[in-house]
Amino acid sequence: MNAPSLWGSALLLREGRAAAWRPWAWGALQLALSRGPVVQAAGKSSSLRLVQLSEAELREQFVRGDGPGGQATNKTSNCVVLKHVPSGIVVKCHQTRSVEKNRKIAREILQEKVDLFYKGEESDVFKEKKASEKKKQEKKRRAKENLERKKHFKEMLQSEEIK
Amino acid sequence: MRCLAPSLLRSFRGLVPQYVSAGPGRNPVLSLKQLPLRHSCSASPGLMTAPDVISYWQKVFEENGIPEARESSEYIVSFVLGAKTFQSLDSGKVHTPLTAAQQEQIQQLSCKRLERMPVQYVLGEWDFQDLTLKMRPPVFIPRPETEDLISLVVEEESRKCEGKKNSAFSVPPPVILEIGCGSGAIALSLLCKIPQSRVLAVDKEDAAVDLTKENVHRLQLQDRIHVLHHNVSYGSAQQLLPWGPMDFIVSNPPYVFHEDMASLDAEILRYEDLDALDGGDDGMRVIKTILTLAPSLLKDSGSVFLEVDPRHPDMVEDWLCAHPDLLLTLRAIHKDFCGKPRFLHIQKQSR
């Protein structure tokens, strides 16, 4: 995982919007997201043993503009950009139309990426990916075998008819 | 309910650039790739994929000074293709050419956006936390900051439950009053996040009451919420008492300073109910009404949670000090996700 270039590309993602990007600021510590300083990501990553991220290590950025916010603004850009400072890994999440959900998902994705970054092949994320790839290949192989068997059977029938 | 007076609206329209009719020479980039706006539905439908169409409309919006050109385009195209955002669009769909019907629908929606209609009204729906809610002008569109208000109430409720766990008494499900329910975002989120809670949601506008009821029915929550047409500024607490006393009063009241109203974006001024925004000279008019009302409606140790302007926390603290008879204490000020002081937790002192 190359930290500096990822961060660099995140800045260029929206051309011409550099002025709207605010300097990295603390994300408000969401009690709903984490009990205490450790981020416990929900969803599938909770079944894996992953590196725990602490909010103190994260920097969050929202394209919400410099205005007063709240009622006075009706902007729909609720994309979340989340950076893990120690590793430099940046995640950009715009999966949903809810800022709160994007923040949660960004943390889940970031946690997986950070885990991969530090643990490499020892990471549960890596192992799970390998396992599912293997399963896929196995399925493909079996499907191919079935197809061959059917073909062979058909040929047999045809040759019997000729006889 | 207030919307811009017709005369003001006309002068607004005068300020809005006309649609791009990309004829030859008008905009070489546009005319090279695409047909003029009014003919776009007759363009060869097989050739345009989602990214093509998004880029097209982004340029059209930019040409016409529509803010958030890229985001608006992405939301509209994604919506027509059945996704919430472009990033969440099925990878298969990203490369599939759009049908003529889809392009037609995108054009119809984009024309509304060209009139500065907020995307949420264009699509007729928007998401608030885990809920998808119907949106309709002029009912106020929930803002992303308000999602955090829900978390605060939920936290306080679980804190109260923890405290009472070891007592001999069972904890009754909380009763929540929402003042100014709008589309029902806050009320319905609370119902979903606090099991067995009961909500009384009130709004002074029929349009808001109707929309909240529609969203209640869409989510099948009608047995736990009552939506009432009621104006807290002119009605009396008596009318709400049958549903009380309440554990929580929650509100995102109009809190914009009156002098700031004129500088709001066209999207807001043209389409949203200005009464849902204008809080009077100091933005405190409805805040004060709610706090004045709170003691007669709240249980002892009950809480008021308010979303406010970042300038209000100090003003509210001063005002509460000046009205000690209300027996309300400012417990906490919470920041929104942009780091601005945004939410007040006020508690009724127990006697």
Side-chain angles (χ1 to χ4, degrees), chain B residues 166-313:
Chain B
N166 301 319
S167 78
F169 308 99
S170 63
V171 186
V175 177
I176 304 169
L177 167 64
E178 190 200 346
I179 297 176
C181 54
S183 57
I186 295 173
L188 293 168
S189 289
L190 288 172
L191 277 180
C192 291
K193 298 244 156 138
I194 307 177
Q196 306 188 2
S197 57
R198 296 288 184 274
V199 173
L200 172 65
V202 308
D203 202 290
K204 74 176 182 66
E205 289 300 332
D206 283 310
V209 170
D210 290 343
L211 185 59
T212 295
K213 283 180 174 170
E214 275 183 61
N215 282 321
V216 166
H217 285 279
R218 268 161 69 108
L219 297 170
Q220 291 288 289
L221 289 167
Q222 53 267 37
D223 54 337
R224 293 169 54 204
I225 177 171
H226 190 85
V227 189
L228 193 64
H229 182 228
H230 178 83
N231 188 336
V232 291
S233 300
Y234 299 113
S236 83
Q238 296 298 318
Q239 290 161 293
L240 304 179
L241 274 176
W243 286 273
M246 283 90 183
D247 295 274
F248 296 98
I249 296 175
V250 185
S251 184
N252 178 19
Y255 60 69
V256 176
F257 287 56
H258 183 72
E259 64 194 5
D260 295 335
M261 290 292 293
S263 58
L264 299 182
D265 285 342
E267 277 80 5
I268 298 174
L269 289 175
R270 282 211 219 171
Y271 293 92
E272 286 190 295
D273 179 6
L274 302 183
D275 277 358
L277 291 145
D278 192 339
D281 285 337
D282 58 0
M284 293 264 287
R285 190 176 54 81
V286 183
I287 294 171
K288 288 176 186 169
T289 301
I290 293 172
L291 294 175
T292 307
L293 201 57
S296 49
L297 291 172
L298 279 175
K299 291 179 185 170
D300 285 349
S301 305
S303 292
V304 182
F305 280 95
L306 295 175
E307 179 180 319
V308 297
D309 180 278
R311 287 164 286 181
H312 284 148

Side-chain angles (χ1 to χ4, degrees), chain A residues 100-113:
Chain A
E100 207 208 34
K101 285 182 82 171
N102 286 341
R103 296 180 74 196
K104 280 194 181 125
I105 295 168
R107 277 160 175 76
E108 284 173 26
I109 297 174
L110 185 65
Q111 191 176 29
E112 289 186 1
K113 291 196 168 191

